[in-house]
Amino acid sequence: MRILTATASALALAAVSATAASARDQLQVAGSSTVLPYANIVAEVFGENFDFPTPVVQGGGSSAGLKNFCQGTGENTIDVANASRQIREKEIKACADAGVTEIIEVQFGYDGIVFASDINGPDFVFTPEDWYKALAEKVFVDGEAVANPNTSWSDVNPDMPDQKILALIPGTKHGTREVFEEKVIMEGCEASGDFDKFKEAAGGDEDAAEDACMAIRTDGLSVDIDGDYTETLAKLNNDTDAIGVFGLAFYEQNTDKLQVATMSGVTPSVETISSGEYPVSRPLYFYVKKQHIGIIPGLKEYAEFFVSDAMAGNGGPLANYGLVPDPELAKTQKAVADEVTMGSGS
Amino acid sequence: MSDSTHDLPPGSGLPIAPRGDRPLLTELDPRTKKRYAAERRFKALGLTAVCIGVLCLVVLVSSVLRQGLPAFTQTFIDVPVYLDPATLDPDGNRDPEQMKSVLTFGYQPLIAAGLERALDDRGLGEQVTADEVAGLISRGAAAQMRDYVLANPEKLGETIDFNFVANGRVDGYLKGRVTMESAALDSQISPEQLQLVDKLRDAGLIEKKFNWAFITGPDASGNRPEAAGMGVAIIGSAYMMLVVLVLALPIGVAASIYLEEFAPQNRFTDIIEVNISNLAAVPSIVFGILGLAIFINWAGLPQSAPIVGGLVLTLMTLPTIIISTRASLKSVPPSIRDGALGLGASKMQAVFHHVLPLAAPGILTGTIIGLAQALGETAPLMLIGMVAFVRDFPDAPPAGLFEPASALPVQVYNWTQRSDPAFVERASGAIIVLLIFLVLMNTVAIILRRRFERRW
């Protein structure tokens, strides 16, 4: 018992002294689970090649990451926030209120969003309009807004196979959902002419019409997946009628089980997304706390290494994993090298 | 149950029944038959319940074993690599500091060239491209080679035989997870590459062996599932258990001795007792929220550190230890205390010299079971940043307690989130290791109880 007490007090003492003495020497990164695998790859190669410790990378989602990022400066806050969407005005303000005034925004590539189904099922050729008609809560039939009557893809478009509609779409906390709503459902709503009808019905209110367009049916034919893409994949394996919506990188790792549908006639691939032909993609970002450069060792080197041609360029490890390289990477590299912060005019 | 005389047939309640009315002992009357039938039904139900439980366990364990055992072996490829001084040491003065300017990207082509040459020597490499040859080897190989070259700069210019980990899909092919059919559809590997693998295996260049790196190595990114290990997670879990043991055992035992032996019985101690019992039933995620608020946001302890995880798990384990310690203190008969006190010992002497040693086996058993419970806990760790990608091993304690680490159950969770199917095998493998630890700890608890327990 005496030894135990002695150990306990020694440990407590050590704890106090270690907290006082330790300056954090490894980078802390957190944020989007879409960016997470890329950040892992960069951290791994960074740790192997430089004398800095391997950065610690956490997931948690874009919003959680940025919230943590904006908690202030100092060793107890993270240095880099990964995001699958741009930082919002509200978040910039929260950052500024907490003293995080200098943020470097880095866009390092694109993520394609694909529509994948079981490899043994029929081929699908989609347009945004098909998705809108399949998933909207209300559609116009003979000039009346009625609850979506479509239950099979052939109801939506007679050219499509007679397979029941079962869409596995990302839940509302996913950054992917936002892009899906904007670039697929909203586009489809406009293309079908329902947007104008909703606008007319709402007395010319565009916001109300947009909300009406983007309302997703809740009768069980569209399933929100709040977990990760692995959950979508498991559900796809269980129900061969289902069609899942997820990132290109995830599909690239599972091409032996899944097939992808074309969207507006374009097959998703790294090439078609970087050329802009494939319509459903989004830029990926990470945000660097400039105030930590020079205090936390390796922060700038990490950011520069992340966007270097060897990592994020064509044929690099990130592209290999499914990232669509940014054609304007050279510009990003220069901005990181010059530590250009947001709102500094360039 | 019902009154026994009531169960007997009419008339048998009399002390001496007429002979003709009395049922034969060898023949059961209807009521007895009914009671025996009820007993048989109950036994059958109980047996079914046990069978269902055992069946579930068998299914669970066998599926984990089936999926996870392959993770303990790994495919390796022998590659003779020529360490080209022109590429690896452009300055030419063999100074490791200067050679560091050549990143792993510079080493990759040399490995591919080495394997290609090895194939050409055996006349195997005609129908595949250089990229396809390079794709057989793990992407982590370049780092392994760079470390070797930086440690042995004098070897430049020689050809060294390296034993590299093969790519995850090649490994999957040898384990039956990847087939020719799936490879034809797979963007990561082609059937031609797999045919090459067959030839390499016949030539003895590829072999499967026990994978120590899976147990001792650090985690790896989604680009190289074949290199992922759980070394950092095992160390992180061990550090957390150390913190829990050092904090929870003395605090828990001291609290129980006070409550059991010294505290007056009043409303205040009653409230404490009720609270301790309630605390044992609090969901573990609540402790995680508490840990985030108190230890990280208020006390300023670092994120992802085993010390924070240990503190949170200590809070979680304390009630378990207190309850089991009090039970074992209670089970020491009062005659022991009375005897000691009667011979003039102080109350403290009576407790520490007599009661505590006799209660020790029970206390240890409770502690080990509490630790085993804490070892498998995931939810509170998610909130304090232990679900992170950590590749660097923490230092030895105490400093290492403040450095980022992972934990075993969290590593399992992490791997199930990854997109590459090779991580499924790793996750199950990690579950096996976790289960082995739990079984070991519980066995120790049982042995301690068997050996030292005294019945009064």
PDB file of all heavy atoms in Angstrom, chain B residues 363-396:
ATOM      1  N   ILE B 363     -10.753  -7.750  -3.356  1.00  0.00           N
ATOM      2  CA  ILE B 363     -10.486  -6.405  -3.874  1.00  0.00           C
ATOM      3  C   ILE B 363      -9.770  -6.503  -5.220  1.00  0.00           C
ATOM      4  O   ILE B 363     -10.129  -5.827  -6.183  1.00  0.00           O
ATOM      5  CB  ILE B 363      -9.614  -5.610  -2.873  1.00  0.00           C
ATOM      6  CG1 ILE B 363     -10.387  -5.420  -1.567  1.00  0.00           C
ATOM      7  CG2 ILE B 363      -9.205  -4.274  -3.463  1.00  0.00           C
ATOM      8  CD1 ILE B 363      -9.590  -4.758  -0.475  1.00  0.00           C
ATOM      9  N   LEU B 364      -8.763  -7.399  -5.292  1.00  0.00           N
ATOM     10  CA  LEU B 364      -8.016  -7.539  -6.541  1.00  0.00           C
ATOM     11  C   LEU B 364      -8.919  -8.029  -7.670  1.00  0.00           C
ATOM     12  O   LEU B 364      -8.849  -7.533  -8.787  1.00  0.00           O
ATOM     13  CB  LEU B 364      -6.843  -8.497  -6.351  1.00  0.00           C
ATOM     14  CG  LEU B 364      -5.681  -7.885  -5.563  1.00  0.00           C
ATOM     15  CD1 LEU B 364      -4.574  -8.895  -5.402  1.00  0.00           C
ATOM     16  CD2 LEU B 364      -5.166  -6.637  -6.276  1.00  0.00           C
ATOM     17  N   THR B 365      -9.767  -8.994  -7.352  1.00  0.00           N
ATOM     18  CA  THR B 365     -10.679  -9.494  -8.381  1.00  0.00           C
ATOM     19  C   THR B 365     -11.548  -8.363  -8.914  1.00  0.00           C
ATOM     20  O   THR B 365     -11.683  -8.186 -10.119  1.00  0.00           O
ATOM     21  CB  THR B 365     -11.580 -10.590  -7.784  1.00  0.00           C
ATOM     22  OG1 THR B 365     -10.754 -11.498  -7.080  1.00  0.00           O
ATOM     23  CG2 THR B 365     -12.332 -11.314  -8.852  1.00  0.00           C
ATOM     24  N   GLY B 366     -12.103  -7.583  -7.997  1.00  0.00           N
ATOM     25  CA  GLY B 366     -12.959  -6.472  -8.422  1.00  0.00           C
ATOM     26  C   GLY B 366     -12.186  -5.475  -9.264  1.00  0.00           C
ATOM     27  O   GLY B 366     -12.681  -4.970 -10.276  1.00  0.00           O
ATOM     28  N   THR B 367     -10.935  -5.205  -8.863  1.00  0.00           N
ATOM     29  CA  THR B 367     -10.130  -4.237  -9.597  1.00  0.00           C
ATOM     30  C   THR B 367      -9.845  -4.728 -11.004  1.00  0.00           C
ATOM     31  O   THR B 367      -9.962  -3.976 -11.982  1.00  0.00           O
ATOM     32  CB  THR B 367      -8.798  -4.014  -8.863  1.00  0.00           C
ATOM     33  OG1 THR B 367      -9.093  -3.696  -7.516  1.00  0.00           O
ATOM     34  CG2 THR B 367      -8.020  -2.888  -9.501  1.00  0.00           C
ATOM     35  N   ILE B 368      -9.478  -6.008 -11.108  1.00  0.00           N
ATOM     36  CA  ILE B 368      -9.142  -6.532 -12.436  1.00  0.00           C
ATOM     37  C   ILE B 368     -10.371  -6.513 -13.334  1.00  0.00           C
ATOM     38  O   ILE B 368     -10.295  -6.141 -14.502  1.00  0.00           O
ATOM     39  CB  ILE B 368      -8.552  -7.952 -12.314  1.00  0.00           C
ATOM     40  CG1 ILE B 368      -7.178  -7.855 -11.666  1.00  0.00           C
ATOM     41  CG2 ILE B 368      -8.437  -8.599 -13.672  1.00  0.00           C
ATOM     42  CD1 ILE B 368      -6.588  -9.173 -11.284  1.00  0.00           C
ATOM     43  N   ILE B 369     -11.531  -6.864 -12.784  1.00  0.00           N
ATOM     44  CA  ILE B 369     -12.738  -6.838 -13.606  1.00  0.00           C
ATOM     45  C   ILE B 369     -13.072  -5.406 -14.016  1.00  0.00           C
ATOM     46  O   ILE B 369     -13.451  -5.134 -15.155  1.00  0.00           O
ATOM     47  CB  ILE B 369     -13.904  -7.519 -12.855  1.00  0.00           C
ATOM     48  CG1 ILE B 369     -13.638  -9.025 -12.855  1.00  0.00           C
ATOM     49  CG2 ILE B 369     -15.240  -7.220 -13.487  1.00  0.00           C
ATOM     50  CD1 ILE B 369     -14.542  -9.819 -11.971  1.00  0.00           C
ATOM     51  N   GLY B 370     -12.874  -4.463 -13.102  1.00  0.00           N
ATOM     52  CA  GLY B 370     -13.075  -3.051 -13.441  1.00  0.00           C
ATOM     53  C   GLY B 370     -12.129  -2.605 -14.539  1.00  0.00           C
ATOM     54  O   GLY B 370     -12.521  -1.897 -15.467  1.00  0.00           O
ATOM     55  N   LEU B 371     -10.860  -3.036 -14.457  1.00  0.00           N
ATOM     56  CA  LEU B 371      -9.878  -2.674 -15.478  1.00  0.00           C
ATOM     57  C   LEU B 371     -10.260  -3.272 -16.832  1.00  0.00           C
ATOM     58  O   LEU B 371     -10.150  -2.614 -17.866  1.00  0.00           O
ATOM     59  CB  LEU B 371      -8.490  -3.194 -15.093  1.00  0.00           C
ATOM     60  CG  LEU B 371      -7.699  -2.383 -14.076  1.00  0.00           C
ATOM     61  CD1 LEU B 371      -6.355  -3.041 -13.840  1.00  0.00           C
ATOM     62  CD2 LEU B 371      -7.494  -0.971 -14.569  1.00  0.00           C
ATOM     63  N   ALA B 372     -10.717  -4.525 -16.811  1.00  0.00           N
ATOM     64  CA  ALA B 372     -11.090  -5.182 -18.068  1.00  0.00           C
ATOM     65  C   ALA B 372     -12.235  -4.432 -18.731  1.00  0.00           C
ATOM     66  O   ALA B 372     -12.259  -4.237 -19.941  1.00  0.00           O
ATOM     67  CB  ALA B 372     -11.484  -6.628 -17.797  1.00  0.00           C
ATOM     68  N   GLN B 373     -13.159  -3.962 -17.901  1.00  0.00           N
ATOM     69  CA  GLN B 373     -14.280  -3.186 -18.414  1.00  0.00           C
ATOM     70  C   GLN B 373     -13.763  -1.886 -19.030  1.00  0.00           C
ATOM     71  O   GLN B 373     -14.183  -1.493 -20.109  1.00  0.00           O
ATOM     72  CB  GLN B 373     -15.199  -2.886 -17.232  1.00  0.00           C
ATOM     73  CG  GLN B 373     -16.573  -2.460 -17.598  1.00  0.00           C
ATOM     74  CD  GLN B 373     -17.308  -2.020 -16.340  1.00  0.00           C
ATOM     75  OE1 GLN B 373     -16.834  -2.232 -15.219  1.00  0.00           O
ATOM     76  NE2 GLN B 373     -18.437  -1.394 -16.522  1.00  0.00           N
ATOM     77  N   ALA B 374     -12.819  -1.241 -18.343  1.00  0.00           N
ATOM     78  CA  ALA B 374     -12.284   0.031 -18.835  1.00  0.00           C
ATOM     79  C   ALA B 374     -11.491  -0.174 -20.116  1.00  0.00           C
ATOM     80  O   ALA B 374     -11.490   0.677 -21.001  1.00  0.00           O
ATOM     81  CB  ALA B 374     -11.396   0.663 -17.766  1.00  0.00           C
ATOM     82  N   LEU B 375     -10.834  -1.323 -20.233  1.00  0.00           N
ATOM     83  CA  LEU B 375     -10.012  -1.593 -21.416  1.00  0.00           C
ATOM     84  C   LEU B 375     -10.858  -1.633 -22.677  1.00  0.00           C
ATOM     85  O   LEU B 375     -10.434  -1.197 -23.737  1.00  0.00           O
ATOM     86  CB  LEU B 375      -9.280  -2.929 -21.228  1.00  0.00           C
ATOM     87  CG  LEU B 375      -8.367  -3.376 -22.361  1.00  0.00           C
ATOM     88  CD1 LEU B 375      -7.183  -2.452 -22.489  1.00  0.00           C
ATOM     89  CD2 LEU B 375      -7.887  -4.795 -22.145  1.00  0.00           C
ATOM     90  N   GLY B 376     -12.072  -2.151 -22.547  1.00  0.00           N
ATOM     91  CA  GLY B 376     -12.912  -2.280 -23.733  1.00  0.00           C
ATOM     92  C   GLY B 376     -13.778  -1.072 -24.021  1.00  0.00           C
ATOM     93  O   GLY B 376     -14.565  -1.079 -24.952  1.00  0.00           O
ATOM     94  N   GLU B 377     -13.632  -0.037 -23.220  1.00  0.00           N
ATOM     95  CA  GLU B 377     -14.525   1.120 -23.341  1.00  0.00           C
ATOM     96  C   GLU B 377     -14.124   2.025 -24.505  1.00  0.00           C
ATOM     97  O   GLU B 377     -12.959   2.362 -24.648  1.00  0.00           O
ATOM     98  CB  GLU B 377     -14.480   1.891 -22.020  1.00  0.00           C
ATOM     99  CG  GLU B 377     -15.639   2.800 -21.807  1.00  0.00           C
ATOM    100  CD  GLU B 377     -16.974   2.092 -21.903  1.00  0.00           C
ATOM    101  OE1 GLU B 377     -17.301   1.242 -21.050  1.00  0.00           O
ATOM    102  OE2 GLU B 377     -17.677   2.406 -22.860  1.00  0.00           O
ATOM    103  N   THR B 378     -15.076   2.389 -25.348  1.00  0.00           N
ATOM    104  CA  THR B 378     -14.765   3.233 -26.506  1.00  0.00           C
ATOM    105  C   THR B 378     -15.419   4.604 -26.423  1.00  0.00           C
ATOM    106  O   THR B 378     -14.790   5.618 -26.722  1.00  0.00           O
ATOM    107  CB  THR B 378     -15.290   2.589 -27.814  1.00  0.00           C
ATOM    108  OG1 THR B 378     -15.216   1.195 -27.677  1.00  0.00           O
ATOM    109  CG2 THR B 378     -14.481   3.036 -28.996  1.00  0.00           C
ATOM    110  N   ALA B 379     -16.684   4.618 -26.018  1.00  0.00           N
ATOM    111  CA  ALA B 379     -17.483   5.837 -26.142  1.00  0.00           C
ATOM    112  C   ALA B 379     -16.837   7.067 -25.499  1.00  0.00           C
ATOM    113  O   ALA B 379     -16.730   8.107 -26.151  1.00  0.00           O
ATOM    114  CB  ALA B 379     -18.873   5.596 -25.583  1.00  0.00           C
ATOM    115  N   PRO B 380     -16.376   6.996 -24.234  1.00  0.00           N
ATOM    116  CA  PRO B 380     -15.837   8.231 -23.655  1.00  0.00           C
ATOM    117  C   PRO B 380     -14.565   8.685 -24.359  1.00  0.00           C
ATOM    118  O   PRO B 380     -14.262   9.877 -24.388  1.00  0.00           O
ATOM    119  CB  PRO B 380     -15.557   7.867 -22.197  1.00  0.00           C
ATOM    120  CG  PRO B 380     -15.543   6.403 -22.141  1.00  0.00           C
ATOM    121  CD  PRO B 380     -16.373   5.907 -23.270  1.00  0.00           C
ATOM    122  N   LEU B 381     -13.829   7.739 -24.952  1.00  0.00           N
ATOM    123  CA  LEU B 381     -12.569   8.110 -25.593  1.00  0.00           C
ATOM    124  C   LEU B 381     -12.803   8.891 -26.878  1.00  0.00           C
ATOM    125  O   LEU B 381     -11.950   9.646 -27.328  1.00  0.00           O
ATOM    126  CB  LEU B 381     -11.752   6.861 -25.902  1.00  0.00           C
ATOM    127  CG  LEU B 381     -11.415   6.001 -24.691  1.00  0.00           C
ATOM    128  CD1 LEU B 381     -10.558   4.830 -25.098  1.00  0.00           C
ATOM    129  CD2 LEU B 381     -10.686   6.823 -23.643  1.00  0.00           C
ATOM    130  N   MET B 382     -13.993   8.699 -27.480  1.00  0.00           N
ATOM    131  CA  MET B 382     -14.255   9.403 -28.731  1.00  0.00           C
ATOM    132  C   MET B 382     -14.333  10.897 -28.499  1.00  0.00           C
ATOM    133  O   MET B 382     -14.023  11.686 -29.373  1.00  0.00           O
ATOM    134  CB  MET B 382     -15.571   8.915 -29.335  1.00  0.00           C
ATOM    135  CG  MET B 382     -15.517   7.455 -29.689  1.00  0.00           C
ATOM    136  SD  MET B 382     -17.103   6.841 -30.176  1.00  0.00           S
ATOM    137  CE  MET B 382     -17.120   7.341 -31.847  1.00  0.00           C
ATOM    138  N   LEU B 383     -14.763  11.286 -27.304  1.00  0.00           N
ATOM    139  CA  LEU B 383     -14.973  12.701 -27.042  1.00  0.00           C
ATOM    140  C   LEU B 383     -13.694  13.418 -26.656  1.00  0.00           C
ATOM    141  O   LEU B 383     -13.627  14.638 -26.703  1.00  0.00           O
ATOM    142  CB  LEU B 383     -16.006  12.877 -25.930  1.00  0.00           C
ATOM    143  CG  LEU B 383     -17.418  12.531 -26.380  1.00  0.00           C
ATOM    144  CD1 LEU B 383     -18.321  12.409 -25.195  1.00  0.00           C
ATOM    145  CD2 LEU B 383     -17.934  13.575 -27.325  1.00  0.00           C
ATOM    146  N   ILE B 384     -12.680  12.672 -26.256  1.00  0.00           N
ATOM    147  CA  ILE B 384     -11.467  13.348 -25.802  1.00  0.00           C
ATOM    148  C   ILE B 384     -10.344  13.218 -26.813  1.00  0.00           C
ATOM    149  O   ILE B 384      -9.180  13.355 -26.490  1.00  0.00           O
ATOM    150  CB  ILE B 384     -11.023  12.811 -24.427  1.00  0.00           C
ATOM    151  CG1 ILE B 384     -10.832  11.302 -24.496  1.00  0.00           C
ATOM    152  CG2 ILE B 384     -12.010  13.181 -23.353  1.00  0.00           C
ATOM    153  CD1 ILE B 384     -10.060  10.767 -23.329  1.00  0.00           C
ATOM    154  N   GLY B 385     -10.729  12.946 -28.061  1.00  0.00           N
ATOM    155  CA  GLY B 385      -9.748  12.990 -29.137  1.00  0.00           C
ATOM    156  C   GLY B 385      -8.851  11.777 -29.236  1.00  0.00           C
ATOM    157  O   GLY B 385      -7.789  11.850 -29.835  1.00  0.00           O
ATOM    158  N   MET B 386      -9.250  10.638 -28.655  1.00  0.00           N
ATOM    159  CA  MET B 386      -8.417   9.448 -28.807  1.00  0.00           C
ATOM    160  C   MET B 386      -8.694   8.763 -30.153  1.00  0.00           C
ATOM    161  O   MET B 386      -7.942   7.902 -30.565  1.00  0.00           O
ATOM    162  CB  MET B 386      -8.669   8.435 -27.687  1.00  0.00           C
ATOM    163  CG  MET B 386      -8.320   8.906 -26.306  1.00  0.00           C
ATOM    164  SD  MET B 386      -6.579   9.058 -25.950  1.00  0.00           S
ATOM    165  CE  MET B 386      -6.060   7.364 -25.818  1.00  0.00           C
ATOM    166  N   VAL B 387      -9.790   9.118 -30.818  1.00  0.00           N
ATOM    167  CA  VAL B 387     -10.074   8.537 -32.123  1.00  0.00           C
ATOM    168  C   VAL B 387      -9.294   9.346 -33.155  1.00  0.00           C
ATOM    169  O   VAL B 387      -9.838  10.141 -33.889  1.00  0.00           O
ATOM    170  CB  VAL B 387     -11.571   8.564 -32.437  1.00  0.00           C
ATOM    171  CG1 VAL B 387     -11.859   7.787 -33.710  1.00  0.00           C
ATOM    172  CG2 VAL B 387     -12.345   7.941 -31.311  1.00  0.00           C
ATOM    173  N   ALA B 388      -7.999   9.159 -33.159  1.00  0.00           N
ATOM    174  CA  ALA B 388      -7.160   9.957 -34.042  1.00  0.00           C
ATOM    175  C   ALA B 388      -6.193   9.045 -34.767  1.00  0.00           C
ATOM    176  O   ALA B 388      -5.978   7.902 -34.371  1.00  0.00           O
ATOM    177  CB  ALA B 388      -6.395  11.000 -33.234  1.00  0.00           C
ATOM    178  N   PHE B 389      -5.648   9.568 -35.838  1.00  0.00           N
ATOM    179  CA  PHE B 389      -4.631   8.849 -36.588  1.00  0.00           C
ATOM    180  C   PHE B 389      -3.293   9.208 -35.960  1.00  0.00           C
ATOM    181  O   PHE B 389      -2.802  10.323 -36.103  1.00  0.00           O
ATOM    182  CB  PHE B 389      -4.692   9.292 -38.046  1.00  0.00           C
ATOM    183  CG  PHE B 389      -3.666   8.660 -38.922  1.00  0.00           C
ATOM    184  CD1 PHE B 389      -3.750   7.327 -39.266  1.00  0.00           C
ATOM    185  CD2 PHE B 389      -2.614   9.405 -39.430  1.00  0.00           C
ATOM    186  CE1 PHE B 389      -2.801   6.748 -40.087  1.00  0.00           C
ATOM    187  CE2 PHE B 389      -1.672   8.831 -40.258  1.00  0.00           C
ATOM    188  CZ  PHE B 389      -1.765   7.495 -40.581  1.00  0.00           C
ATOM    189  N   VAL B 390      -2.726   8.285 -35.187  1.00  0.00           N
ATOM    190  CA  VAL B 390      -1.470   8.549 -34.486  1.00  0.00           C
ATOM    191  C   VAL B 390      -0.443   7.528 -34.956  1.00  0.00           C
ATOM    192  O   VAL B 390      -0.696   6.326 -34.892  1.00  0.00           O
ATOM    193  CB  VAL B 390      -1.649   8.425 -32.950  1.00  0.00           C
ATOM    194  CG1 VAL B 390      -0.388   8.849 -32.242  1.00  0.00           C
ATOM    195  CG2 VAL B 390      -2.818   9.249 -32.480  1.00  0.00           C
ATOM    196  N   ARG B 391       0.676   7.990 -35.426  1.00  0.00           N
ATOM    197  CA  ARG B 391       1.695   7.057 -35.912  1.00  0.00           C
ATOM    198  C   ARG B 391       2.936   7.026 -35.036  1.00  0.00           C
ATOM    199  O   ARG B 391       3.703   6.072 -35.075  1.00  0.00           O
ATOM    200  CB  ARG B 391       2.091   7.422 -37.339  1.00  0.00           C
ATOM    201  CG  ARG B 391       1.312   6.668 -38.390  1.00  0.00           C
ATOM    202  CD  ARG B 391       1.750   7.066 -39.763  1.00  0.00           C
ATOM    203  NE  ARG B 391       3.118   6.672 -40.047  1.00  0.00           N
ATOM    204  CZ  ARG B 391       3.469   5.448 -40.449  1.00  0.00           C
ATOM    205  NH1 ARG B 391       2.567   4.533 -40.598  1.00  0.00           N
ATOM    206  NH2 ARG B 391       4.724   5.168 -40.700  1.00  0.00           N
ATOM    207  N   ASP B 392       3.179   8.084 -34.273  1.00  0.00           N
ATOM    208  CA  ASP B 392       4.391   8.119 -33.455  1.00  0.00           C
ATOM    209  C   ASP B 392       4.134   7.448 -32.119  1.00  0.00           C
ATOM    210  O   ASP B 392       3.119   7.710 -31.477  1.00  0.00           O
ATOM    211  CB  ASP B 392       4.831   9.569 -33.232  1.00  0.00           C
ATOM    212  CG  ASP B 392       5.425  10.156 -34.488  1.00  0.00           C
ATOM    213  OD1 ASP B 392       5.850   9.368 -35.344  1.00  0.00           O
ATOM    214  OD2 ASP B 392       5.440  11.382 -34.629  1.00  0.00           O
ATOM    215  N   PHE B 393       5.086   6.616 -31.688  1.00  0.00           N
ATOM    216  CA  PHE B 393       4.934   5.965 -30.391  1.00  0.00           C
ATOM    217  C   PHE B 393       5.166   6.991 -29.295  1.00  0.00           C
ATOM    218  O   PHE B 393       6.095   7.791 -29.372  1.00  0.00           O
ATOM    219  CB  PHE B 393       5.953   4.840 -30.251  1.00  0.00           C
ATOM    220  CG  PHE B 393       5.600   3.645 -31.064  1.00  0.00           C
ATOM    221  CD1 PHE B 393       6.090   3.497 -32.343  1.00  0.00           C
ATOM    222  CD2 PHE B 393       4.765   2.668 -30.566  1.00  0.00           C
ATOM    223  CE1 PHE B 393       5.758   2.398 -33.107  1.00  0.00           C
ATOM    224  CE2 PHE B 393       4.424   1.571 -31.317  1.00  0.00           C
ATOM    225  CZ  PHE B 393       4.926   1.431 -32.594  1.00  0.00           C
ATOM    226  N   PRO B 394       4.344   6.995 -28.254  1.00  0.00           N
ATOM    227  CA  PRO B 394       4.614   7.892 -27.135  1.00  0.00           C
ATOM    228  C   PRO B 394       5.849   7.431 -26.356  1.00  0.00           C
ATOM    229  O   PRO B 394       6.200   6.257 -26.397  1.00  0.00           O
ATOM    230  CB  PRO B 394       3.349   7.793 -26.275  1.00  0.00           C
ATOM    231  CG  PRO B 394       2.689   6.540 -26.689  1.00  0.00           C
ATOM    232  CD  PRO B 394       3.121   6.225 -28.078  1.00  0.00           C
ATOM    233  N   ASP B 395       6.493   8.381 -25.660  1.00  0.00           N
ATOM    234  CA  ASP B 395       7.666   8.045 -24.854  1.00  0.00           C
ATOM    235  C   ASP B 395       7.265   7.193 -23.660  1.00  0.00           C
ATOM    236  O   ASP B 395       6.092   6.948 -23.420  1.00  0.00           O
ATOM    237  CB  ASP B 395       8.318   9.336 -24.326  1.00  0.00           C
ATOM    238  CG  ASP B 395       8.991  10.088 -25.453  1.00  0.00           C
ATOM    239  OD1 ASP B 395       9.279   9.448 -26.476  1.00  0.00           O
ATOM    240  OD2 ASP B 395       9.208  11.294 -25.305  1.00  0.00           O
ATOM    241  N   ALA B 396       8.298   6.835 -22.863  1.00  0.00           N
ATOM    242  CA  ALA B 396       8.014   6.095 -21.638  1.00  0.00           C
ATOM    243  C   ALA B 396       7.311   7.024 -20.651  1.00  0.00           C
ATOM    244  O   ALA B 396       7.495   8.232 -20.717  1.00  0.00           O
ATOM    245  CB  ALA B 396       9.320   5.595 -21.042  1.00  0.00           C
TER     246      ALA B 396
END
